[in-house]
Amino acid sequence: MEFVRIDSGSFVMGSPESEYGRGLDEGPQHRVRISKPFYLGRYEVTQAQWKALMVSNPSPFRLLPDADHLPADMVSWHNAQSYVSALNGLGLGRFRLPTEAEWEYACRAGTTTAYYWGNDASQATVSKYAWGYSRAEGRSRRVGTLLPNPWGLYDMCGNVWEWCSDWLGPYLDTDTTDPKGPLEGERKAYRGGSWYNEPEALRSANRHGHPPVGNGGLNSGLRVVLETDE
C-alpha cells in the first residue's frame, strides 16, 4: 500500500444550500478541526491487497483480466473491519477506517467547491477525475488511472463507495474537533459515490450509508488510515 500524509488543519464540512444535488443531511455546514495528522491510502484497497489477507474475494468482477488492479468491492462494513484487523495483525502499524470528517477533509484537499476539481458536473470534466455513470460502463475500474485531487489521492470520488468508521447521523450545528459521529445507529457511513452513480453523488459533501452487515452492496469498498504517533 502507498499512503499520503494528511496534515492537521480545519475545513468547512457539508454543503451550502445552493449546491446542486445537495441532500438535507449535508447541513448545517460547520467548521471541523482535524487535530492530528494521519496517513491515508493513496488508492482504494485493491482486490490483490484484499486477497493477500482475506480467505475469499467477494467481488463480482474478480474474474476480469485486470481484477487485481480493481478496487475490492461488495465489501460490508463488518468485512472491512475484518480486513483492517488482519492488516493490523501484520505488525506494520495501526490501521483503521477514516472518520467521515477525516474522509471529507482529505477528499476536499483544501477546496470549497462541489467537487475537488471545481463545480463543473459535465461528463467531459467529471470523466477526467472520477469513474461514474455512464463512463465507467457498468463496472469498477483500475485504481489510479484518472487525475488525483490536489493532495495526490486518487478515486476519492467515484469507482467505489468508501466505508467510514462512523454511524450515519445528523450533523451538529456547531464547530467541532475530530468528530466521530453518533454512538449508535442503523447505518454506517460511506462516502465518495461509485461507478454506478450520477455526478451529483460524487460531490465531496455527499453522504450515504448502509447497514454494517450483509454484502454492503455491489459498489462498496474501502480506503484505510495509517495512524501516526504525533
Side-chain angles (χ1 to χ4, degrees), residues 205-220:
N206 184 46
R207 309 175 73 206
H208 199 48
H210 197 279
V213 297
N215 60 27
L218 181 64
N219 48 350
S220 57

Side-chain angles (χ1 to χ4, degrees), residues 11 13 32 34 98-106 166 178-179 191:
F11 75 109
M13 190 171 185
V32 171
I34 303 297
T99 65
E100 259 203 288
E102 288 171 337
W103 188 95
E104 188 172 327
Y105 176 61
D166 311 40
D178 301 327
R191 304 291 297 264

Side-chain angles (χ1 to χ4, degrees), residues 1-211:
M1 288 184 178
E2 188 175 341
F3 290 87
V4 174
R5 180 184 167 92
I6 309 298
D7 288 322
S8 58
S10 66
F11 75 109
V12 175
M13 190 171 185
S15 62
E17 294 182 3
S18 59
E19 188 168 295
Y20 176 76
R22 180 184 191 264
L24 294 178
D25 63 354
E26 295 173 22
Q29 285 187 293
H30 55 292
R31 181 161 292 278
V32 171
R33 176 174 174 260
I34 303 297
S35 67
K36 296 180 180 180
F38 60 95
Y39 289 89
L40 186 65
R42 187 180 296 276
Y43 310 104
E44 294 163 329
V45 172
T46 65
Q47 289 189 39
Q49 291 166 340
W50 182 270
K51 290 187 300 181
L53 295 179
M54 305 300 283
V55 174
S56 61
N57 178 11
S59 175
F61 305 119
R62 61 186 176 275
L63 299 181
L64 293 177
D66 59 345
D68 280 353
H69 304 283
L70 303 181
D73 53 359
M74 210 163 185
V75 173
S76 72
W77 186 87
H78 276 308
N79 286 343
Q81 291 289 71
S82 294
Y83 180 82
V84 170
S85 294
L87 196 57
N88 282 321
L90 299 177
L92 301 175
R94 300 189 308 276
F95 300 90
R96 58 175 173 81
L97 296 176
T99 65
E100 259 203 288
E102 288 171 337
W103 188 95
E104 188 172 327
Y105 176 61
C107 178
R108 288 187 177 281
T111 66
T112 59
T113 47
Y115 309 91
Y116 49 73
W117 56 85
N119 288 312
D120 189 355
S122 68
Q123 285 285 2
T125 300
V126 172
S127 62
K128 295 178 182 179
Y129 295 88
W131 290 113
Y133 182 86
S134 62
R135 298 301 292 269
E137 300 178 346
R139 50 161 291 194
S140 62
R141 293 288 175 165
R142 292 174 70 113
V143 303
T145 54
L146 300 178
L147 295 175
N149 77 359
W151 290 353
L153 299 165
Y154 290 82
D155 301 304
M156 290 295 288
C157 297
N159 219 2
V160 293
W161 292 94
E162 299 175 11
W163 286 112
C164 297
S165 59
D166 311 40
W167 289 105
L168 189 64
Y171 287 152
L172 299 176
D173 189 11
T174 183
D175 294 352
T176 58
T177 297
D178 301 327
K180 295 182 179 180
L183 296 177
E184 56 185 20
E186 296 181 355
R187 296 184 297 160
K188 287 290 186 178
Y190 54 23
R191 304 291 297 264
S194 77
W195 55 264
Y196 182 80
N197 298 108
E198 299 282 359
E200 57 264 30
L202 311 184
R203 294 174 300 108
S204 299
N206 184 46
R207 309 175 73 206
H208 199 48
H210 197 279

